[in-house]
């Protein structure tokens, strides 16, 4: 029946739309992770020290404080979790927290800036109020920004405020951002090259990324093939009626209006429904990635990619209609009836 055909067509078009939207919006998943996570980390090494000190450091280095924090409440409700809290100076150029814009570091004068990883894991947002303890000292901050960091539960405040947990002034620190690898001290506990660490993650992901890209490519190709097949099958089921209409004087435009309008509307509705569905699918994939590898991948549906997906499917749709119309121009009702009898 026509209703059954439309329902089946809608279901198939919905699946194909999800496949295409997912494929096109996921193609840069690994490269965007590296670019976003590196953004703003302009230091060569981050040195974690064994104890606090106020020793002089080279002028192009920057000192920071790093401690562990135990969150107790969010917006007055009990919500406990641990995170690393950094105290930096707002004028920092080696650690730029948001979008590579040094001016946005000044936001820590008004509150706390948290990593994207922490925001996602704890479902936090700008404007939330955090109450936590650092070495038994209570702190209450309002979230004023989200950093680009995708791999750690970090937060950033003014160094002088964080040092208060140890009753130390702003001259003390237990970490250094350097511009080279030459700094030596018996106080160094850990040396971290952020860029190299991200490159190591990228190398580890390379094999996985190649497999994912292949799957996405095949998914896109199969989706486009299925899309063309769905349109062809829909019109093939109506070829007898189409040929009868042609035999009694209907032209191609009139026939397309009668039979193509329904599937065009079905296609548009299926595509629109597929957008939020794909977004939910992205969220499930993202949660699975976090559980498996411990960092966030950027899976977002963008308006540009939505338009590209729609135009790609529309192009396949139009090409299929043109080919089918050319076929029906060459086939008579007598030939179709003869084939059906056979």
């Amino acid at each position: 029946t026509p209703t059954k055909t439309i329902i089946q067509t809608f279901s198939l078009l919905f699946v194909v739309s999800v496949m295409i939207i997912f494929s096109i919006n996921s193609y840069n998943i690994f490269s965007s992770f590296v670019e976003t996570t590196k953004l703003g980390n302009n230091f060569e090494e981050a040195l974690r020290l064994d104890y606090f000190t106020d020793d002089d450091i080279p002028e192009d280095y920057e000192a920071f404080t790093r401690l562990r924090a135990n969150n107790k409440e969010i917006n007055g409700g009990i919500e406990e979790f641990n995170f690393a809290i950094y105290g930096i100076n707002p004028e920092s150029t080696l650690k730029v927290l948001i979008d590579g814009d040094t001016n946005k570091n000044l936001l820590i004068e008004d509150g706390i800036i948290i990593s994207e990883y922490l925001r996602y894991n704890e479902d936090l947002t700008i404007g939330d109020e955090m109450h936590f303890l650092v070495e038994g000292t209570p702190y209450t901050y309002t979230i004023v920004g989200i950093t680009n960091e995708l791999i750690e539960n970090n937060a950033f405040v003014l160094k002088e405020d964080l040092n208060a947990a140890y009753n130390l002034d702003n001259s003390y620190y237990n970490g250094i951002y350097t511009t080279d690898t030459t700094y030596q001290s018996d106080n160094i506990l850990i040396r971290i090259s952020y860029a190299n660490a991200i490159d190591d993650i990228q190398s580890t992901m390379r094999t996985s990324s190649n497999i994912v890209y292949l799957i996405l490519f095949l998914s896109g190709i199969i989706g486009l093939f299925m899309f063309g097949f769905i349109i062809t099958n829909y019109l093939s089921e109506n070829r007898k009626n189409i040929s009868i209409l042609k035999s009694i004087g209907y032209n191609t435009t009139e026939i397309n209006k009668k039979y193509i309008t329904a599937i065009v509307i079905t296609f548009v509705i299926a595509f629109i429904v597929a957008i939020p569905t794909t977004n939910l699918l992205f969220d499930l994939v993202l949660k699975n990635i976090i559980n498996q590898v411990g960092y966030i991948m950027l899976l977002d549906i963008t308006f540009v990619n939505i338009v590209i997906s729609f135009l790609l499917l529309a192009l396949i749709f139009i090409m299929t209609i043109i080919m089918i119309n050319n076929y029906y121009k060459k086939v008579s009702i007598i030939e179709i009836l003869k084939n059906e009898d056979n």
Side-chain angles (χ1 to χ4, degrees):
T1 64
T3 301
K4 181 179 179 182
T5 301
I6 291 296
I7 292 175
Q8 291 175 339
T9 304
F10 173 85
S11 301
L12 291 171
L13 287 174
F14 169 74
V15 172
V16 169
S17 296
V18 170
M19 292 172 66
I20 297 301
I21 294 172
F22 189 91
S23 299
I24 290 179
N25 282 274
S26 303
Y27 77 96
N28 65 343
I29 176 176
F30 293 101
S31 59
S32 61
F33 165 81
V34 174
E35 293 170 4
T36 301
T37 305
K38 281 186 175 181
L39 185 63
N41 292 297
N42 303 323
F43 52 86
E44 184 65 31
E45 289 185 324
L47 307 180
R48 300 256 298 278
L49 306 182
D50 192 26
Y51 52 84
F52 278 90
T53 181
D54 61 351
D55 292 344
D56 292 335
I57 57 176
E59 289 185 359
D60 56 343
Y61 288 11
E62 293 177 359
F64 67 87
T65 296
R66 182 186 186 278
L67 298 170
R68 297 299 300 175
N70 308 109
N71 194 79
K72 298 300 181 182
E73 296 180 1
I74 299 292
N75 298 325
I78 296 176
E79 193 168 336
E80 298 187 357
F81 55 86
N82 298 326
F83 60 96
I85 186 164
Y86 288 77
I88 66 171
N89 294 317
E91 300 82 12
S92 175
T93 58
L94 297 183
K95 183 64 178 180
V96 183
L97 299 176
I98 302 174
D99 300 331
D101 186 349
T102 54
N103 291 325
K104 291 184 178 180
N105 277 14
L106 297 175
L107 288 172
I108 61 174
E109 295 179 348
D110 301 317
I112 188 170
I113 295 177
I114 64 173
S115 66
E116 170 62 19
Y117 190 85
L118 178 58
R119 180 208 67 78
Y120 184 87
N121 278 342
E122 305 301 335
D123 194 25
L124 303 174
T125 188
I126 292 176
D128 284 347
E129 186 177 80
M130 301 177 65
H131 178 71
F132 53 87
L133 299 178
V134 178
E135 298 298 327
T137 301
Y139 288 86
T140 299
Y141 281 98
T142 298
I143 299 174
V144 293
I146 311 294
T147 76
N148 304 308
E149 296 183 346
L150 305 175
I151 58 175
E152 294 180 313
N153 277 341
N154 292 336
F156 298 85
V157 297
L158 288 172
K159 184 160 75 72
E160 60 183 306
D161 290 348
L162 188 57
N163 281 4
Y166 279 92
N167 293 317
L168 299 174
D169 62 42
N170 196 40
S171 64
Y172 284 84
Y173 59 89
N174 67 354
I176 306 171
Y177 294 124
T178 74
T179 54
D180 52 47
T181 59
T182 62
Y183 187 80
Q184 299 296 326
S185 170
D186 293 337
N187 192 16
I188 295 176
L189 184 64
I190 301 174
R191 308 184 79 108
I192 301 173
S193 173
Y194 200 84
N196 290 341
I198 299 301
D199 288 339
D200 289 342
I201 292 175
Q202 186 178 21
S203 297
T204 302
M205 293 190 303
R206 188 162 288 121
T207 301
S208 298
S209 65
N210 290 336
I211 295 173
V212 170
Y213 287 140
L214 178 61
I215 293 173
L216 292 174
F217 175 76
L218 292 176
S219 175
I221 295 299
I222 292 172
L224 293 176
F225 174 79
M226 286 179 59
F227 186 74
F229 173 78
I230 292 165
I231 307 302
T232 303
N233 185 64
Y234 172 79
L235 294 176
S236 294
E237 291 181 357
N238 293 280
R239 62 178 181 170
K240 179 179 177 180
N241 294 333
I242 291 173
S243 297
I244 291 174
L245 292 176
K246 287 179 64 68
S247 68
I248 62 176
Y250 278 70
N251 59 38
T252 300
T253 301
E254 291 171 326
I255 292 173
N256 283 342
K257 185 176 181 181
K258 183 176 180 62
Y259 284 96
I260 302 303
T261 301
I263 197 169
V264 168
I265 294 173
T266 303
F267 161 55
V268 172
I269 295 174
F271 187 85
I272 292 173
V273 173
I275 295 173
T277 303
T278 307
N279 201 42
L280 291 174
L281 181 61
F282 274 170
D283 195 46
L284 292 174
V285 171
L286 184 58
K287 288 179 179 178
N288 186 62
I289 290 175
I290 292 174
N291 291 334
Q292 294 297 322
V293 299
Y295 41 77
I296 294 176
M297 290 295 182
L298 297 176
L299 287 170
D300 293 313
I301 296 178
T302 66
F303 176 76
V304 172
N305 286 337
I306 288 295
V307 172
I308 292 173
S309 302
F310 184 82
L311 292 178
L312 182 60
L313 289 175
L315 178 63
I316 299 298
F317 184 90
I318 293 170
M319 291 174 61
T320 304
I321 296 300
I322 291 173
M323 289 188 292
I324 291 173
N325 281 333
N326 289 335
Y327 168 74
Y328 283 125
K329 287 178 182 178
K330 301 175 183 178
V331 180
S332 67
I333 181 62
I334 297 175
E335 291 179 39
I336 291 177
L337 292 174
K338 188 184 295 183
N339 290 332
E340 287 191 353
D341 292 336
N342 294 333

